[in-house]
Amino acid sequence: MYIVDTSTMPLQIIQITGALDDADLQKMEEGMRWSLATTTPYVCITLARYSDRPGSQQRKRIAEIAERGRVNKQCLAVAIVVANELVAGALTAIRWVSPSPRPEKSFTSAASALLWLKPFADNAGLVIADSARATAIRMDTAQPSANA
């Protein structure tokens, strides 16, 4: 499942749970189009703690979508919340080989990720509402249902 929540702007919340299907990849495409069209700066937290590893075709499509997003100047920083330090380390290694055009870091908790994003928001004069932070933490800690 792939969810993009922009109601919490200037904190964009992306949640990925389970396996991604074609409809999810379409939502990812739509989210990328939105991010390229927006004129408002924001920071992004991606909650991927409960995501499954995508298949090779999905990884290819995700990489294509991400490549188009490299020109996005409004996204100031991205924090990715993953299941454990091993996954965080793997993402860091990938960024050594293929650097992100914006600051990006992996975390094992939404709270830590939000603390890291705060200076990027503050430096741009953005105020992340307490309710937006609470939404991100709630979404990150909620176990996905078996039927989702």
Side-chain angles (χ1 to χ4, degrees):
M1 180 172 55
Y2 185 87
I3 298 170
V4 178
D5 188 348
T6 57
S7 70
T8 54
M9 293 300 277
L11 174 67
Q12 179 188 56
I13 303 172
I14 297 174
Q15 184 179 39
I16 305 169
T17 55
L20 296 176
D21 59 20
D22 288 341
D24 293 320
L25 293 175
Q26 182 60 38
K27 289 179 198 172
M28 189 179 288
E29 287 269 5
E30 292 164 7
M32 183 56 63
R33 283 194 294 276
W34 173 90
S35 71
L36 292 172
T38 189
T39 58
T40 306
Y42 65 96
V43 294
C44 178
I45 185 169
T46 299
L47 308 171
R49 176 187 312 280
Y50 301 111
S51 64
D52 293 344
R53 185 172 189 262
S56 61
Q57 291 297 331
Q58 291 170 320
R59 286 193 306 274
K60 181 179 181 221
R61 188 159 170 211
I62 291 166
E64 292 166 353
I65 295 167
E67 184 60 31
R68 286 194 300 279
R70 292 180 70 78
V71 298
N72 179 348
K73 302 294 185 208
Q74 299 306 327
C75 183
L76 305 176
V78 177
I80 303 169
V81 180
V82 295
N84 57 56
E85 292 292 341
L86 182 63
V87 175
L91 287 174
T92 298
I94 289 169
R95 286 302 170 216
W96 289 338
V97 174
S98 177
S100 175
R102 67 198 50 82
E104 182 179 294
K105 189 170 179 183
S106 300
F107 299 87
T108 57
S109 78
S112 296
L114 291 164
L115 283 174
W116 180 79
L117 286 170
K118 187 175 183 336
F120 297 101
D122 290 349
N123 290 340
L126 305 176
V127 177
I128 299 173
D130 290 341
S131 60
R133 285 193 295 275
T135 297
I137 291 170
R138 184 181 69 253
M139 289 172 72
D140 179 51
T141 56
Q143 290 281 341
S145 71
N147 299 327

